[in-house]
Amino acid sequence: MRYEVIRQQLPLFDEDGRAGATDDEHGRDLYYLPDLPEEDPYAAGHRTCAGCGPAIQYRWVLKAAGQDTVVAGPTGCMYVANSTYLCTPYTVPWAHTPIASGGSFTSGMAAGYEAMIRKGRYPGPYPNILVMAGDGSASDIGIGSISGALYRNHDALFVCYDNECYANTGIQVSPTTPYAGMTTFTPFGKAIPEGKKLPPKNLAKMMAEGHPHCYVATATVGYPVDLMNKTRKGLNHVGAAFLHCYTPCQKGWVYQTSMTIELGRRVVESGLWPVWEYDPAERRYHYFHPPVQRPVTDYLAMQGRFGHMLPEHVATMQVGANRNWEAIGMDVPAHLRDLEDPARHQRLKDEEYSMPLNRGVGA
Ligand SMILES: Cc1ncc(C[n+]2csc(CCOP(=O)(O)OP(=O)(O)O)c2C)c(N)n1
Ligand code: SF4
Ligand SMILES: [Mg+2]
């Protein structure tokens, strides 16, 4: 006998309330949170650093997914710092996978649940299946297995929590490390004064362009309701979905621990992390247009990993941000265009910005 696979539909959180709570002194919406579920599948008691962006992202995503969820986590900080022998912070089933296998392991889970439900060996409904992989895993070592899973359209949500480095092994460069981002593998010096020479891999666009039948979105920990709604949309989508989330790493980026959420806003407001959704039914991108457009220095100066940047490096970063503004359909104000000229910048460490500076890399 063949049984029907019943799928869940998670309701979206109210964003109207968020719109009603707008206009702080910068014209931004406030940190509004609607009535969130009390359940916390990612419970307290783990060992991540204070202010850890990936831990915040894990909490919001699992709150949005709820109790009827199974999770996989490839090797990385969110495996190692979360789990000790026979102990994890999860109140839902969780499995560790090798760093390269997040996609293939999750494909197996999805296919297994489908088969078990159809054969009447699991009562259903079909659970929320998700994997949360670091950028080293999702954009580098394990990209093949995730791309394969997206291509085969397994019904699961594939999340990349992006802390822009291989954090767990001591802050090494990854493909998503930004231009000029200092890591232990991209130190600045006489030969390479900018530290990292290459721009970051555009992982989310690769996933959307390469798998046009999938729901794909970007998010940051600076916009929790948006992150939770995109989690639910990805889980509700029948088939594969990919979510790329910006998650600051306090240890690797060297910033004040209380600034994780603020960084998640400023990276968007400085044009360095476009927030969007790709709708596979329409085959269209929907871009978020932030109400504030800042110079990149408002973002860079909060982090020690950029403290070595010279005027030409800051100008290069502003060029990239300005092209991003154009790509998402926003005008580039004259004062941001002017900042493409290196002569308009000092060495970053000599400037005075709104945030106190730390120096160095935290490895
Ligand atoms: C095949 C393989 N290569 C290298 C490692 C060593 N390793 C363990 S965790 C890690 C860092 C993973 O980086 P990322 O996926 O970005 O997660 P993060 O640590 O930043 O949370 C590495 C390189 C491994 N476990 N397996
Ligand atoms: S090193 Fe970074 S990603 Fe790892 S636990 Fe600390 S803050 Fe989180
Ligand atoms: Mg990482």
Side-chain angles (χ1 to χ4, degrees), residues 54 74-80 96-100 133-141 160-172 174 176 247 249:
T75 320
C77 265
M78 297 310 284
Y79 158 54
V80 178
H96 166 235
T97 84
I99 195 167
D135 48 296
S137 172
S139 75
D140 205 6
I141 302 178
C160 172
Y161 70 86
D162 192 351
N163 56 11
E164 301 183 342
C165 60
Y166 282 92
N168 184 239
T169 34
I171 322 297
Q172 289 88 23
S174 92
T176 61
T247 55
C249 169

Side-chain angles (χ1 to χ4, degrees), residues 196-217:
K196 190 188 178 197
K197 288 169 82 80
L198 297 172
K201 186 184 274 190
N202 196 338
L203 178 67
K205 274 279 163 87
M206 279 175 72
M207 293 311 200
E209 292 291 319
H211 314 86
H213 55 282
C214 298
Y215 170 84
V216 181

Side-chain angles (χ1 to χ4, degrees), residues 221-240:
V221 292
Y223 300 87
V225 182
D226 180 63
L227 170 59
M228 294 176 83
N229 274 338
K230 283 172 174 164
T231 300
R232 289 195 160 181
K233 285 185 190 175
L235 290 168
N236 288 345
H237 175 73
V238 180

Side-chain angles (χ1 to χ4, degrees), residues 48-49 52 54 77 81 163 167 249-251:
T48 63
C49 307
C52 172
C77 265
N163 56 11
C249 169
Q250 195 279 330
K251 178 182 169 197

Side-chain angles (χ1 to χ4, degrees), residues 127-199:
N128 299 313
I129 298 177
L130 62 97
V131 60
M132 291 193 271
D135 48 296
S137 172
S139 75
D140 205 6
I141 302 178
I143 191 172
S145 79
I146 294 189
S147 171
L150 295 180
Y151 172 67
R152 293 188 303 273
N153 208 21
H154 292 285
D155 193 0
L157 173 60
F158 300 81
V159 182
C160 172
Y161 70 86
D162 192 351
N163 56 11
E164 301 183 342
C165 60
Y166 282 92
N168 184 239
T169 34
I171 322 297
Q172 289 88 23
V173 68
S174 92
T176 61
T177 304
Y179 165 78
M182 183 164 61
T183 68
T184 50
F185 279 11
T186 50
F188 71 95
K190 279 193 185 148
I192 307 178
E194 66 269 61
K196 190 188 178 197
K197 288 169 82 80
L198 297 172

